[in-house]
Amino acid sequence: MSVLIFIEHSEGLIKKSAHEVLTYGAKLAAQLGTTAEGLVLGTVSENLTTLGKYGVTKINQINNESLNTIDSKLYAATIAEAVTLTGASVIIFSHTPTGKSIAARVSAKLKAGLVSGAAALPDTSNGFIVRKSVFSSKAFANISINTDIKVISVNPNSISAVIGNGEATLNQLTINVGSPSIKIIAVNKITGEIPLTEADIVVSGGRGLKGPENWGVLLDLAKALGAATACSRPVGDAHWRPHHEHVGQTGVQVAPNLYIALGISGAIQHLAGVNRSKIMVVINKDPEAPFFKSADYGIVGDLFEIVPQMTAEIKRIKGIA
Amino acid sequence: MKILVCINKTPDTTSKIAFKNNNTAFDDSGVQWIINPYDEWYSLVRAIELKEKDPSIIIHLVTVGSADCDPIIRKAFALGGDEGFRINIDSTDSSFIAAQIADLANKNQYDIVFTGKESIDYNSSAIGGIIAELIDAPYISLATLFELNGNTATITREIEGGEEVAEVSLPLVVSCQKGMAEQRIPNMRGIMAARTKPLNVIEPIAQENFTSIINFELPPAKAGVKLVAADNVAELIRLLHEEAKAF
Ligand SMILES: Cc1cc2nc3c(=O)[nH]c(=O)nc-3n(C[C@H](O)[C@H](O)[C@H](O)COP(=O)(O)OP(=O)(O)OC[C@H]3O[C@@H](n4cnc5c(N)ncnc54)[C@H](O)[C@@H]3O)c2cc1C
Ligand SMILES: Nc1ncnc2c1ncn2[C@@H]1O[C@H](COP(=O)(O)O)[C@@H](O)[C@H]1O
């Protein structure tokens, strides 16, 4: 009857999104009067027992070479075995690129109902109802999962990790792991940048910046804030910025605490990728720009004059020279 | 070689989202329907490009939905594709929809099944993974590049903080996103040809809905923007720091 949480890691370290789902799973277990356990596939350099601080009692690990390739087929088969061994009835994933490749597949293997992109803890007072955002964050749907086994993937940044002082036991699971059905021949990580979907603060630029040569003001602001950088679709299409920075309906969807839009008009397709942000700030010289209707704070004015002043003021407050 | 392209009908990106029947159903009055952008711009066009290189490739389109999906399949036909299948039932449950498509895939033995990265209405990113499991094939999600060399595909996919290149043998399932192909506009010849392409309507297989939508909610209205004067930038930063505690 327990809750099993799939823990993502990268380069030996547990990801921030995993801390969030650990908290989510522990809270759900408390709600259901059961226990929460974690599941780690592959090798991790961190001490896994410390993950107990997020409220899980046990971490199950399957440490096998083959699992260093994230192959959905192999992962789904292995995770389904682990579900049987641990007797879990709710399995939690992060709705990240990795989670998106595995969670649905696991649900099929287990003949379990799936809600992917959950926005909140399930309501278990009468049935099992999970809230998720739909219509590109323009609405929510409350979805009932009607199967005995349930799979949920949770949107990053929809719950904050809560840290207590528990400790978990570590349990090595022995499972016959097959071999991957895919072969990874190259990995290109963008180093030194904050991954957009994990960032607390995102500074984003649109056509109002006029050209790639003007991005310095934006980068300075992002640096002062420790923010990730993003852009609107035309900016990505024109190759002013790399295409992986394009946010919106057809780009990356983000939900940071703070989203700062510079010279972006706020078209509905742009908003669809950013309107789960907690606070939105808009700098635009056009008072009629639609973005002001969705924003929390804003300045009507020329971004080239305003942004350097923002950067200077933030540096002053943070005591950065 | 046979490719199946999954086509989903979604409301136009500018649609106003509203609900009816006590918030239990999407209100589609006045809504313009389109092909889900990921299905149209990326998976369908990439399939067409592969066929342009190798004309022996056969492209099938599939949608799960009632008769009001027909215009969407015809629209897709105008871009390309040889034959269409509409599985005649509406559902919002990923497992249900995917089971229908997997059944067709098992019967017709496709080498490649393309889906979009996600549907812009239910945003689940789920159908491709479930189909792959049900037909026991590898699944590559969030693909940005797809090259075919004989029986092997070389695929670039998004991972957190970067990308990864994988080599996979056919058959396989791929979910497609930006990078795979460039958006195309149908030409007159395509539009004419679309009218006569075979669109087969098939009845669904027996399958449970594992989930059901209880109701919908609109997000709470925003309080309204707090505007700060352009000559008072420090005040904006103070508000962000002290009031919103945003940094
Ligand atoms: C199906 C579909 C999907 C789409 N998907 C996406 C998507 O995923 N993401 C996305 O972003 N777009 C998407 N779009 C495009 C979207 O409709 C808009 O065209 C786009 O977001 C506009 O980008 P922008 O705001 O950078 O440019 P513009 O609309 O040109 O706006 C530039 C803004 O900068 C302001 N400005 C100019 N100079 C200054 C200055 N000196 N100081 C301050 N402000 C200034 C202007 O007032 C203006 O508001 C999509 C469109 C379609 C049809
Ligand atoms: N009703 C449907 N019929 C055919 N394909 C679908 C349907 N719903 C979703 N898909 C496909 O699955 C992809 C992912 O959808 P989703 O899992 O709902 O986000 C879409 O981009 C489509 O390619």
Side-chain angles (χ1 to χ4, degrees), chain B residues 6-8 36 38-39 62-64 97 101 115-119 122-127:
Chain B
C6 299
I7 299 288
N8 188 22
N36 187 40
Y38 296 103
D39 305 352
V62 62
T63 193
V64 179
I97 296 168
I101 298 172
T115 76
K117 151 179 146 166
E118 66 178 40
S119 56
Y122 292 106
N123 309 110
S124 295
S125 284
I127 304 283

Side-chain angles (χ1 to χ4, degrees), chain A residues 72-94:
Chain A
S72 67
K73 194 169 172 214
L74 183 62
Y75 265 53
T78 311
I79 294 168
E81 281 276 312
V83 169
T84 313
L85 285 180
T86 57
S89 59
V90 186
I91 304 97
I92 311 284
F93 293 87
S94 304

